[in-house]
Amino acid sequence: MNIFYIRSSLVILKADDMDKINRTFASEFLLLGLSGYPKLEIIYFVLILIMYLLILTGNGVLIIASTFDSRLHTPMYFFLGNLSFLDICYTSSSVPSTLVSLISKKRNISFSGCAVQMFFGFAMGSTECLLLGMMAFDRYVAICSPLRYPVIMSKVVYVLMASVSWLSGGINSIVQTSLAMRLPFCGNNIIHHFTCEILAVLKLACADISLNIITMVISNMAFLVLPLLVIFFSYVFILYTILRMNSATGRRKAFSTCSAHLTVVIIFYGTIFFMYAKPKSQELHGEDKFQTSDKLISLFYGVVTPMLNPIIYSLRNKDVKAAVKYLLNRKPIQ
């Protein structure tokens, strides 16, 4: 009887171990998105599709204009072209899968697909933070030191600044994605989100995520706080310089060149700080459900902001308007 009991216990232990192994290594995740609101899904599908097409069109036009019009071959428009390309990459990494899930109800995503989506999302977000800081510094030099501007912001310098932004964002994303996807996910593979957003994925982990939280805090300091400080102090000096100008026309022109960038910064940081600035362990281990407001803010950050960027930069920018008009009216070579 004791032998039978021991054998039975071993069988149960082995079964439990196998079950634990099966539950630990999730092969796919389920993205719920707005599954709780089926009547709204078709409306969101149409809205997101229209916004995505506007993102591709608006940012694509800005990239083409800044590339082929010699009047836009300046550091500011070089950074703007990078920002437009980044917005296209960011939305293209998540929006198509979101549209498919809304129209076909196919909500599953593979483990590797989730990792790729998380990588691109984090990489593009980190890079955009740095690019916005670089653009603020560019405006600071242009307005506060106009005579030294061609020397300080030479082609080698601004290309290097953009390259460092992309490389740093990519490295940061590799670190964050690797740490998140190495975690064990016990049984529950349901992500209450539109995409494989890192905080939503961390909620599913059944292991200690202290290292993830520490690295995210460091990442927030490096990619959110430091660029924001650069932006803040750049605009403090810019405002001081503008107020000292004697020419009203010069003040209006200076304000006009900075207003678009400042608007984008406010929209971008307003949403991203709400989502990422204060990761807390109790939030990550709390309920597995995002509030509807959180989802909508995430959607705003992921789709609406990239759509607004080319509109904001074009509305009050005569150079961009002239370049786009020139490209549209240019006759093809026969």
Side-chain angles (χ1 to χ4, degrees), residues 8 17 45 82 109 122 144 173 180 199 215 234 254 265 279 311 333:
S8 300
D17 290 341
F45 172 81
N82 275 262
I109 183 172
F122 219 97
C144 299
S173 184
L199 293 181
T215 56
S234 295
V265 167
I311 298 174
I333 299 176

Side-chain angles (χ1 to χ4, degrees), residues 264-328:
V264 170
V265 167
I266 292 172
I267 294 174
F268 177 80
Y269 272 95
T271 52
I272 201 171
F273 258 109
F274 184 89
M275 293 162 55
Y276 296 113
K278 295 179 180 180
K280 298 178 182 180
S281 59
Q282 60 266 31
E283 290 176 355
L284 293 173
H285 285 299
E287 292 186 4
D288 291 336
K289 206 168 186 178
F290 266 47
Q291 297 296 326
T292 303
S293 60
D294 296 328
K295 293 182 180 181
L296 294 179
I297 289 173
S298 174
L299 178 65
F300 180 84
Y301 167 72
V303 181
V304 179
T305 303
M307 181 190 69
L308 291 178
N309 284 351
I311 298 174
I312 293 171
Y313 277 108
S314 302
L315 282 178
R316 301 184 62 183
N317 194 309
K318 295 180 179 179
D319 293 333
V320 174
K321 289 181 180 178
V324 173
K325 186 177 181 180
Y326 170 77
L327 290 173
L328 294 176

Side-chain angles (χ1 to χ4, degrees), residues 92-147:
S92 297
S93 68
S94 59
V95 171
S97 62
T98 301
L99 291 172
V100 170
S101 67
L102 287 173
I103 197 67
S104 68
K105 313 302 179 186
K106 183 180 180 296
R107 306 182 189 278
N108 60 306
I109 183 172
S110 65
F111 187 87
S112 57
C114 185
V116 170
Q117 194 176 83
M118 185 186 298
F119 166 78
F120 277 103
F122 219 97
M124 299 303 106
S126 302
T127 303
E128 185 163 358
C129 290
L130 296 181
L131 281 177
L132 290 175
M134 302 292 186
M135 294 172 75
F137 176 77
D138 170 71
R139 291 299 83 206
Y140 158 73
V141 178
I143 294 174
C144 299
S145 303
L147 297 179

Side-chain angles (χ1 to χ4, degrees), residues 40 48 63-64 85 88 111 131 153-154 157 168 188 197 201-202 204 208 229-230 233 235 257 259 266 287 302 312:
L40 294 177
I48 294 174
I63 293 172
I64 295 172
F85 178 71
I88 291 176
F111 187 87
L131 281 177
M153 295 300 295
S154 64
V157 172
S168 301
N188 186 10
E197 193 266 344
V201 173
L202 289 180
L204 307 181
D208 182 26
L229 288 176
V230 172
F233 285 109
Y235 276 104
T257 58
S259 59
I266 292 172
E287 292 186 4
I312 293 171

Side-chain angles (χ1 to χ4, degrees), residues 218-255:
I218 296 173
S219 174
N220 287 338
M221 294 296 295
F223 290 90
L224 287 177
V225 178
L226 290 182
L228 189 58
L229 288 176
V230 172
I231 294 169
F232 174 77
F233 285 109
S234 295
Y235 276 104
V236 167
F237 288 114
I238 288 172
L239 182 62
Y240 177 74
T241 303
I242 290 176
L243 294 177
R244 292 179 61 193
M245 291 180 179
N246 296 322
S247 171
T249 304
R251 287 197 295 269
R252 283 196 299 269
K253 185 177 180 181
F255 273 121

